[in-house]
Amino acid sequence: MHCSAHPECNTTCIELFISTSSLPFFVSWLNPLFRIGYKRRLEEDDMYKVLPEDGSERLGEELQRYAAKELRPPKLTKVLIKCYWKPYAVLGIFTLIEEVIKVIQPVFLGKLIQYFENYDPDNMDALYEAFGYAAGVCLSTLILAITHHLYFFHVQRTGMKMRVAMCHMIYKKALCLSSAAMGKTTTGQIVNLLSNDVNKFDEVTIFLHFLWVGPLQAAAVLGLLWVEIGPSCLAGMAVLVILMPTQTMFGRLFSKFRSKTAALTDNRIRTMNEVVSGIRIIKMYAWEKPFSALVNDVRRKEISKIMSSSYLRGLNMASFFAASKIIVFITFTVYVLLGNTISASRVFVAVSLYSAVRLTVTLFFPSAIEKLSETRISVRRIKVQNTLFICESGRPISPEPVTHSKSSLLSAILGELPHDKGVLKVKGQLTYASQQPWVFPGTIRSNILFGKALHPQKYEKVLRACALKRDMELLPDGDLTVIGDRGATLSGGQKARVNLARAVYQDADIYLLDDPLSAVDAEVGRHLFEQCICGILKNKPRILVTHQLQYLQAANQILVLKEGHMVARGTYSELQRSGVDFTSLLKREEEGPQAPGVETESRSPCSRTLSQNSEVSHTSSIRSVKDGTEQLPVGPAHFRSTALVVWKKLNLMTTSLNDIGLLTCFCVQAAYILQDWWLAYWAGEQEKLNVNGTVTIQNGVNVTEQLNLDFYLGIYAGLTGATLIFGFARSLVMFNVLVKAAQSLHNRMFNSILRTPVRFFDVNPIGRVLNRFSKDIGQLDAALPWTFVDFIQIFLQIIGVVAVAASVIPWILIPLVPLVIVFLFLRRYFLQTSRDVKRLESTTRSPVFSHLSSSLQGLWTIRAFRAEERFQNTFDAYQDLHSESWFLFLVTSRWFAVRLDGMCAVFVTITAFEVEAGSVGLALSYAVTLMGMFQWGVRQSAEVENMMTSVERVVEYTELESEAPWETQKRPPPEWPSQGLITFDRVSFSYSSDGPVVLKDMKAMFRPKEKVGIVGRTGAGKSSLVSALFRLAEPEGRIYIDGVLTSEIGLHDLRQKMSIIPQDPVLFTGTMRKNLDPFSQHTDEDLWNALQEVQLKSVVEELPNKMETVLAESGSNFSVGQRQLVCLARAILRKNRILIIDEATANVDPRTDELIQKTIRDKFRECTVLTIAHRLNTIIDSDRILVLDAGQIHEYDEPYTLLQNHDGIFFKMVQQTGRQEAVSLLQSAKQVSSTLTQQSMSTSLSHSVLWQ
């Protein structure tokens, strides 16, 4: 039975391995897992339970303890060193043993070659001695494999511990971030710490020991070389010494490029996040081109840095590849020029010694410096204002005042906003319902319970009070329905009610309710107020922030705030008698109810995230966390691509790569082998001369025959030069082609995203889309080119080793055949499990990021509910789950590598016997290099295949369905539309071909300059009418604007001629000027006038650089009302004949609402205006009102006429606003009716023909 079926057993298995550290034996406990992986897909339940010492909570607390010992504010680097230096230092023993053996092995090899050089068939002692040296070569090969893999496993495990501990601390810090601190960073940047920066700890631990082992090994090798070839070795070591700082310089330069590239990548991802988040607005404004230019500009700069760093990496790889050739060439050139004669033993001892030290000095040592440099950069990024370890009692740190007075009052009570003076006392437990509904991934029930125990009667009572009972009956799994990414499965109104229910279920002393009624319609709003706020909570103190002034009569105390000051306080009757503006405000701006399904505010900075949106798979559940964070919606299927498919899709096999790249690859490998073969041939010819002692007579003098030094040295130099030239050319050409391919794929994917219908973004979470632009493009930019070039290089070297061995020992092909068969089976056997382990590692990583993002969105709620510890425990559980998969990745990699190195040891053993010294030296020295290189090459091939998943995922997004062309051959007249006449002729509309029809056979006409209000209940089709008009999906039927059939013209020609003020005001990162006028079509005077019209001129003039001030991400330094006014300014600037207002005043205060309505009446008097109503008082003065119900026109007439029909929907909606408001609305409608009668009679005749 598989160990994982028994947690105690699987933990014992791993602990046994850890304690014995006997690699050839420990890997046997993985065999059951590989058998399962070969038969079926691995799941989370198949993973081994994380070891106690690897647990996230334990590691984080251990690091915190070391930080707490520091008297001053702790330095992160110092704390990490104190915590981990002892166990990590012990691992240096493995490195030392490995490098010592690497130095001794060439000595055995030299002695073995000397036996063949002095071959005497009668000398049995020499034969036995040779057998001993051969056994020494083979044994050292085996010990190398064991120590190498033990070292790598343990240092990678140490790196994992450091990473997990840092993630624990970062999350703990994130739970303490204040609003001001969040304003100085973004969710994406914090997630980037977890997704990229902490990974540097995994890398740096691998190489750090080589900082001291490298110089020691170099000194030992120098001593042995001095004994072997004398002072000539100094020439080779001089080259090595020169290469070392060169490689180090490459490492530092690469770190600089990485730092610059990371900043550009952050910028690109932030811009892409805004594009994807605001894609609906971008399409309605027809702003795709300026945003395309913006992203392309950032991408071009990013690619420039990536190409430079790729060339640098290519030069680094090429220099490493050619280093041994240069060193050996210089050494033996000096050696023979000093009058020495070469021999096979000297040649191959020197070659092997140089090979041993070259890897350490030119790869591991510079890598250690490079990784250390990168880690220092990451540590600096992680140290957020030097307060990583300062987080007392879970309270926020570094707070600053915010601008919104109503929410600021609640935040002050919550302790989120400290007061400068005065005293604030809170007695009792607080609970809080935020203005922007916050839900986290999990079930609806887990969102409501929020860690509390389930009491069925109380739970049912809360559901009824929050009007959720009916919703639970309609949802497929009731309250066990899983809430997707950002609550994607719920409407805005449902999220608001779940948010409220969470607060109500907590049995608190004081309830802070921040505008919970703004996202629901009048009927539900009244239910919530009566049954919940004044019902189930009637005996509790409640502080309600609201725009719904009609409910204030029921309040015990009313506090009126204006610009952060209290202007009035008292009961409803007291305020009416006080003569304050409150009374007139109530009469003039009494708010109508809001329709359901509407978010109360545009997303806060917390919701701008890359991570929240990591692609979530159905496997990202936590076994140990049973509070409701069950399975999340399934992401796209896992791709299992083949190299052939990927090559075709990537289209890398261009003519240039075929003709130049591949040719260069084979040329460089041929030169590489020929250079060594020529040296062996040279040594062999010299040996023949030495043995035969050929003497010639010249001018009567006996002269010993010597080799033509110029000839042999000239050929040797030529082959060395060819190796260098072709090596550098290969690296540069392949990196160039691969990075350009990544750039091409990014551009194609981005263009495809811009042109795909908006429906795509409705059904795909933002994280799934951004994952393609961040993780997958990151793989294509950096990881794939390096891995692919490395794989090609190693693959050709392996072929070269086998070819050389077969050329001198033909019969070696006989045992080689079964070894190849075993290898092919082993690779296939391993890859079946390896892919699943990589998939599990990826899918268990996503919940870590999602949980962080979700927590950052709901910080105030989490802290108000005192739920920090529970969320920290959940984060630790997610981390432990990921550690299980990461641990599995480490041990399965070692399982495979041990077996491959075992096969190489067999190959070395077979090759260790040959009769000709030159040949056995070349074959055996090559065979020894297979150790490590072969298993690394095979793993790189698997890595390339896994990375091709990213290629296929990107290619998938380059082939998305495209919407209609932006421009067509049929262009409308430049002055179109001149009137603003809109006609719907039998229009039906659906968001997708297989989706429900949301507008059904609609026939309607909107007259020029007419002001039409559009109302209806949830799902009536109000927003769908706008979507059909803008062709966000293609409608059936015909829509005419001034007689032009909209389906026949380009989308940009259509959308640019209509203005829209959206419900969710969207501002983009960039200057205020770019936000108003991205095409630079207007003068400064026009822009300032537009801002003046919406009373924002003074606000913008106060900005540091006025119009050129770069706005915060998503315009978060503006209030919702101010952002809405910017959208109004955009509409004023466009000067179009048609204006659509999509519930634009739903989330703003009455004063801003009044300003917007006044501006619309003044500036758009000559325009056709369609207003989707959220507050009935904003559309009651319309010329006509269109009432939609279930996608059909229920009523369409003047407001007063509609109110005469007591059975009509509009009449019922008015009645639901309350008696006083209903009377006021009726009077307004009657007044409008009397002024419009004459106009209606004069225009009805002219339009009757079109209506037919």
Side-chain angles (χ1 to χ4, degrees), residues 51 114 269 440 532 634 809 831 1092:
L51 288 167
Q114 280 181 1
I269 298 301
F440 58 87
C532 180
V634 180
I809 319 171
L831 283 180
Q1092 179 71 46

Side-chain angles (χ1 to χ4, degrees), residues 595 982 984 999 1002 1004 1006 1011-1017 1020-1026 1029 1139-1143 1169-1176 1178-1180 1182 1184-1189 1192-1193 1195-1197 1202 1210 1213:
I982 305 172
F984 279 68
L999 292 181
M1002 177 179 286
F1006 306 101
K1011 310 299 182 282
V1012 178
I1014 303 171
V1015 298
R1017 294 194 176 97
K1022 302 184 296 296
S1023 295
S1024 300
L1025 186 146
V1026 177
L1029 191 57
L1139 173 66
I1140 293 93
I1141 304 168
D1142 188 2
E1143 300 178 343
V1169 180
L1170 309 183
T1171 305
I1172 293 180
H1174 212 109
R1175 296 170 174 168
L1176 296 184
T1178 63
I1179 54 94
I1180 199 67
S1182 300
R1184 289 192 292 171
I1185 290 179
L1186 177 71
V1187 183
L1188 291 173
D1189 185 45
Q1192 296 179 319
I1193 297 176
E1195 299 171 294
Y1196 187 22
D1197 214 324
L1202 294 180
F1210 186 68
M1213 292 177 72

Side-chain angles (χ1 to χ4, degrees), residues 1153-1209:
D1153 186 7
E1154 181 186 17
L1155 173 61
I1156 291 174
Q1157 298 302 330
K1158 180 178 179 298
T1159 307
I1160 289 169
R1161 283 191 291 270
D1162 293 344
K1163 299 300 294 184
F1164 299 97
R1165 188 179 294 108
E1166 300 299 313
C1167 301
T1168 304
V1169 180
L1170 309 183
T1171 305
I1172 293 180
H1174 212 109
R1175 296 170 174 168
L1176 296 184
N1177 65 313
T1178 63
I1179 54 94
I1180 199 67
D1181 61 348
S1182 300
D1183 298 335
R1184 289 192 292 171
I1185 290 179
L1186 177 71
V1187 183
L1188 291 173
D1189 185 45
Q1192 296 179 319
I1193 297 176
H1194 181 78
E1195 299 171 294
Y1196 187 22
D1197 214 324
E1198 294 176 11
Y1200 186 69
T1201 306
L1202 294 180
L1203 289 175
Q1204 305 310 303
N1205 179 10
H1206 291 194
D1207 295 325
I1209 293 175

Side-chain angles (χ1 to χ4, degrees), residues 1-6 9-10 13-14 24-43 45-48 829-830 832-834 836-837 888 891-892 895 899:
M1 183 178 287
H2 184 218
C3 276
S4 66
H6 301 281
C9 177
N10 73 45
C13 287
I14 302 174
F25 301 101
F26 98 81
V27 289
S28 61
W29 61 264
L30 277 173
N31 291 341
L33 182 76
F34 276 97
R35 281 196 291 271
I36 290 174
Y38 190 67
K39 293 176 183 175
R40 65 165 172 83
R41 180 187 176 103
L42 287 179
E43 302 296 344
D45 289 338
D46 297 312
M47 297 194 302
Y48 297 100
Y829 188 70
F830 167 75
Q832 289 288 97
T833 301
S834 171
D836 282 345
V837 170
L888 210 53
V891 292
T892 51
W895 181 95
R899 280 153 178 75

Side-chain angles (χ1 to χ4, degrees), residues 797-977:
Q797 282 187 269
I798 292 169
I799 291 177
V801 169
V802 174
V804 167
S807 67
V808 297
I809 319 171
W811 57 264
I812 204 172
L813 292 175
I814 299 171
L816 196 63
V817 171
L819 278 177
V820 169
I821 293 171
V822 171
F823 156 68
L824 291 174
F825 169 76
L826 195 62
R827 183 180 184 275
R828 184 182 173 192
Y829 188 70
F830 167 75
L831 283 180
Q832 289 288 97
T833 301
S834 171
R835 286 195 196 100
D836 282 345
V837 170
K838 289 284 285 183
R839 172 181 53 80
L840 287 171
E841 191 274 324
S842 177
T843 56
T844 55
R845 190 194 319 119
S846 291
V848 176
F849 302 148
S850 293
H851 185 71
L852 171 63
S853 302
S854 178
S855 301
L856 289 172
Q857 290 176 55
L859 275 180
W860 284 19
T861 302
I862 292 169
R863 292 198 285 249
F865 282 70
R866 299 288 192 269
E868 295 99 325
E869 183 179 353
R870 187 165 57 81
F871 270 72
Q872 181 75 59
N873 292 339
T874 304
F875 180 80
D876 289 335
Y878 279 130
Q879 281 234 100
D880 289 343
L881 187 66
H882 178 251
S883 293
E884 292 175 17
S885 60
W886 183 256
F887 184 86
L888 210 53
F889 168 71
L890 296 184
V891 292
T892 51
S893 299
R894 295 301 129 202
W895 181 95
F896 188 47
V898 164
R899 280 153 178 75
L900 290 182
D901 277 349
M903 292 171 62
C904 292
V906 172
F907 184 78
V908 169
T909 304
I910 295 171
T911 315
F913 302 95
E914 176 56 29
V915 293
E916 190 178 347
S919 299
V920 75
L922 182 63
L924 198 52
S925 63
Y926 263 44
V928 167
T929 63
L930 276 181
M931 292 302 299
M933 182 177 70
F934 181 62
Q935 57 94 5
W936 177 250
V938 174
R939 284 168 60 195
Q940 287 294 73
S941 74
E943 196 64 27
V944 168
E945 196 168 330
N946 286 333
M947 286 180 181
M948 292 306 186
T949 301
S950 290
V951 177
E952 196 160 348
R953 282 156 56 92
V954 169
V955 168
E956 182 201 22
Y957 271 29
T958 66
E959 299 168 350
L960 297 174
E961 174 194 359
S962 184
E963 60 183 358
W966 289 342
E967 286 95 16
T968 62
Q969 291 182 347
K970 183 172 182 179
R971 307 293 295 270
E975 68 279 0
W976 177 88

Side-chain angles (χ1 to χ4, degrees), residues 61 209 330 418 426 533 711 756 838 862 871 951 1247:
E61 288 179 352
H209 276 301
I330 296 291
V426 178
I533 298 171
F711 171 73
T756 197
K838 289 284 285 183
I862 292 169
F871 270 72
V951 177
H1247 290 311

